Amino acid sequence: MSSSSQASLLDVESQPGRPPVLHVESPGDAASWAAGQRDALRSLVAERGSVLVRGLGLREADQVGAVFQQLAGGPLMSEREAFAARESYRDGVYSSTAWPPNQPMCMHHELSYTLTFPGTMMFACLTAPASGGVTGVADASTVLEALPA
């Protein structure tokens, strides 16, 4: 099965200028669900650059780590040379960066300065903020194309 046909098996909501969104009915065991959907999700990311999955019911860092490990297909990358303070929950799973709430965080290439960098970035929200709270994600190729010559 081609990557296009694998990704098309997922019912993904698409809107121009926004990341594709996959709404999931709480699967109970999110890690098993992720293992079963790994190839289709990775195909979707390869085609569209990203996918936002909602509804997995993740509430604990260990659940996040288990899902991310299934999606990665192996051990998660340990953070090295951190740019700003963050809490380590388990190997490869970290809190968001401690950043002043009145300061925007500019787009950056996560760990691009290291010899080994992540091939896929995965984020999870365990506690929604009372207000604000955004994780900006951009496609570097698209940003580069949009820059004036």
Side-chain angles (χ1 to χ4, degrees):
M1 187 178 295
S2 74
S3 64
S4 290
S5 58
Q6 285 178 345
S8 67
L9 294 175
L10 298 174
D11 186 19
V12 177
E13 175 188 316
S14 295
Q15 295 179 16
R18 302 190 59 88
V21 180
L22 174 62
H23 294 277
V24 175
E25 291 286 330
S26 182
D29 181 1
S32 293
W33 178 88
Q37 300 299 320
R38 179 181 184 271
D39 291 342
L41 287 168
R42 292 181 68 84
S43 293
L44 183 61
V45 169
E47 287 177 19
R48 305 287 298 280
S50 67
V51 63
L52 175 59
V53 179
R54 294 200 164 161
L56 291 179
L58 302 176
R59 298 288 177 256
E60 304 290 332
D62 283 342
Q63 292 174 305
V64 171
V67 168
F68 285 4
Q69 195 161 2
Q70 289 299 326
L71 294 174
L76 301 176
M77 184 176 172
S78 296
E79 183 177 49
R80 297 179 311 277
E81 304 171 42
F83 171 74
R86 64 173 79 197
E87 184 178 341
S88 176
Y89 295 119
R90 60 176 271 184
D91 199 29
V93 179
Y94 307 92
S95 70
S96 59
T97 301
W99 201 258
N102 65 340
Q103 299 293 314
M105 182 181 284
C106 62
M107 290 292 158
H108 59 282
H109 292 91
E110 191 72 25
L111 297 172
S112 63
Y113 50 84
T114 63
L115 291 175
T116 304
F117 50 87
T120 302
M121 294 298 300
M122 295 178 267
F123 303 91
C125 179
L126 298 178
T127 306
S131 66
V134 64
T135 299
V137 179
D139 180 331
S141 299
T142 302
V143 172
L144 183 60
E145 289 173 15
L147 293 175

